[in-house]
Amino acid sequence: MSKNYKIAVIPGDGTGPEVIREGLKVLDAASRKYGFTLEYNKYNYGGQRYIETGKVLGDRDVEGLKKYDAIYLGGIGHPDVKPGILEKGILLKLRFDLDQYINLRPVKLYDNVKTPIKNVGPEEVDFTVIRENTGGLYTGVGEFKDKGTENEVAVQSMVYSRRQVERCVRFAFEYIENLHKEKPWKGLTEKEKEDGYIGKLTLCGKTNVLTYAYDLWERVFNEVAREYDNIITDYSHVDAISIYMVENPKIFDGIVTGNMFGDIITDLAAVIQGGMGVAPSGNLNPEGVSMFEPVHGTAPAFARKGVINPVAAILTAQMMLNQLGQIEAASAIESSVKSTLKKMKSMEVGKMGLATSEVGDLIAKGI
Ligand code: IPM
Ligand code: MN
């Protein structure tokens, strides 16, 4: 019997529905070719629904999503809604309540994609950021003291439990080990390969200033590292890593970091890989329901014009199939994306030389 997967689809706001439409087109082509079925249920959670009904996302809504094999999301945000409401009320609520504790963000520069970094190509930009996704500054722990007065103090705490840090770090080591099981990371020296190394994991922190939170991260990282003697470990402060990512991105294989730093460095990484138009991501709960959403937002200024780049959403769908265990179908999507990229003039919105739906058509056909 062929496998059937139940997918909750949240197209969201702005250009979300347009990129999701192309993603579903490609998923359908992949499922036909590789003999599995996808059953979609659409949900209208997002800014528009909030404006019309005042509702963000309730506990019952979240419960309802738990019966799915995965969630596929376009983007949530609305220019008429005050920042914070939809982010906290929908996106972060989903990540937190479904305990999607990993935000996986592969950073690959594909052939034919322009990067603002000089003298680098696909060989030099190929790493993965493993961002902790349910803790740190995002926990929302904090307070105002004497709000609105001259003596006002605002506190926002970076909260991490050992358990949270450990499951993230362990996931990162496992991920890098699996990634290179068949073929060691290309950045290794001959000597390192002879010594049995297959990959590298860099902890990104700020141990010189955040002497509680990142002290915990560093200790846990070093403890877990002992179980993975085939992975080279490295450490970089978050400010310094921003320099290295631009100056010499080929030194990175895996980067594991906390929620806030992960948010910031993956925007930088997205630019290095050719922009928001090509950056996919997955919010993973390896033991539960994962949610796949491109790194980009809703780009409302470009909505309904057919000019937005759907490649990020399509690569996000590819990550979803990987997670569901449809490895062959996922790699077929990636190959088809690669050949379609050659037909696109640019990754930038409005400059692709093709309409949003034409990009989706080409990728679907290539499968
Ligand atoms: C991201 C986004 C979100 C985040 C926002 C929209 C809450 O920037 O997915 O990177 O900060 O995680
Ligand atoms: Mn972000």
Side-chain angles (χ1 to χ4, degrees):
M1 212 180 77
S2 82
K3 265 212 115 135
N4 179 51
Y5 302 97
K6 286 164 71 174
I7 311 292
V9 180
I10 308 176
D13 304 301
T15 51
E18 287 165 67
V19 297
I20 288 295
R21 193 176 308 130
E22 302 315 311
L24 295 179
K25 193 187 276 176
V26 171
L27 282 169
D28 285 339
S31 68
R32 274 196 300 274
K33 170 87 193 262
Y34 289 91
F36 59 93
T37 49
L38 296 162
E39 192 183 320
Y40 309 120
N41 272 318
K42 280 202 186 164
Y43 291 86
N44 64 350
Y45 304 138
Q48 197 54 43
R49 174 175 175 268
Y50 172 72
I51 288 171
E52 285 160 21
T53 66
K55 284 188 198 148
V56 275
L57 194 73
D59 293 336
R60 299 248 316 263
D61 299 331
V62 177
E63 269 320 297
L65 291 170
K66 287 188 180 162
K67 64 173 189 276
Y68 289 96
D69 293 303
I71 303 169
Y72 186 38
L73 183 145
I76 284 177
H78 201 289
D80 302 336
V81 181
K82 195 175 148 226
I85 295 176
L86 301 171
E87 289 85 344
K88 264 198 166 157
I90 303 179
L91 201 57
L92 298 180
K93 184 170 171 69
L94 282 167
R95 291 179 185 173
F96 278 63
D97 289 5
L98 295 171
D99 203 20
Q100 293 160 343
Y101 59 89
I102 299 295
N103 195 318
L104 193 64
R105 298 192 159 173
V107 182
K108 273 192 190 184
L109 175 63
Y110 289 107
D111 251 331
N112 276 79
V113 173
K114 238 174 65 196
T115 169
I117 311 290
K118 255 190 229 159
N119 305 325
V120 300
E123 280 295 304
E124 285 77 31
V125 182
D126 186 0
F127 60 92
T128 310
V129 178
I130 298 117
R131 165 188 174 189
E132 200 290 325
N133 210 31
T134 56
L137 284 171
Y138 280 67
T139 313
V141 173
E143 63 176 326
F144 292 116
K145 286 187 191 128
D146 301 322
K147 191 174 179 186
T149 71
E150 262 178 34
N151 299 324
E152 176 163 3
V153 178
V155 180
Q156 192 102 39
S157 304
M158 185 179 278
V159 184
Y160 268 119
S161 67
R162 171 177 279 271
R163 210 185 123 255
Q164 271 178 317
V165 175
E166 189 179 332
R167 66 182 181 174
C168 175
V169 164
R170 197 172 286 285
F171 177 93
F173 276 104
E174 282 292 316
Y175 182 85
I176 291 302
E177 188 176 57
N178 275 323
L179 190 65
H180 300 303
K181 239 184 354 224
E182 257 125 61
K183 200 165 144 239
W185 174 52
K186 53 184 174 271
L188 294 171
T189 63
E190 284 311 313
K191 169 86 173 58
E192 284 164 345
K193 280 188 228 163
E194 271 164 35
D195 290 345
Y197 290 109
I198 61 169
K200 175 177 167 185
L201 185 63
T202 303
L203 171 65
C204 164
K206 188 72 185 173
T207 51
N208 53 348
V209 176
L210 305 180
T211 50
Y212 299 108
Y214 277 98
D215 184 81
L216 174 62
W217 272 86
E218 191 173 43
R219 278 182 286 122
V220 171
F221 181 78
N222 291 335
E223 281 166 29
V224 177
R226 280 187 224 122
E227 295 168 40
Y228 296 86
D229 54 7
N230 52 356
I231 308 289
I232 294 179
T233 55
D234 199 1
Y235 172 82
S236 185
H237 292 320
V238 63
D239 47 353
I241 218 169
S242 316
I243 300 176
Y244 306 143
M245 272 170 56
V246 171
E247 279 191 350
N248 197 13
K250 68 170 187 291
I251 63 171
F252 296 115
D253 181 11
I255 299 174
V256 64
T257 189
N259 210 343
M260 186 78 259
F261 294 166
D263 178 45
I264 298 167
I265 67 170
T266 53
D267 265 22
L268 177 60
V271 171
I272 296 170
Q273 77 185 116
M276 286 297 181
V278 288
S281 101
N283 300 282
L284 310 184
N285 176 345
E287 296 86 34
V289 183
S290 299
M291 175 167 76
F292 296 83
E293 52 162 327
V295 175
H296 65 63
T298 56
F302 301 102
R304 289 175 296 278
K305 296 197 167 100
V307 294
I308 198 77
N309 188 347
V311 168
I314 291 168
L315 287 170
T316 295
Q318 180 246 339
M319 288 180 74
M320 181 167 79
L321 290 188
N322 249 328
Q323 168 87 3
L324 292 172
Q326 293 294 336
I327 314 293
E328 269 184 82
S331 81
I333 293 180
E334 193 184 16
S335 311
S336 185
V337 164
K338 282 186 187 165
S339 42
T340 301
L341 289 173
K342 295 188 182 132
K343 296 172 188 147
M344 295 169 68
K345 286 210 186 92
S346 161
M347 293 304 118
E348 270 178 68
V349 51
K351 299 182 183 163
M352 299 188 292
L354 292 168
T356 305
S357 63
E358 289 174 317
V359 176
D361 287 343
L362 282 172
I363 297 171
K365 212 174 120 211
I367 292 167

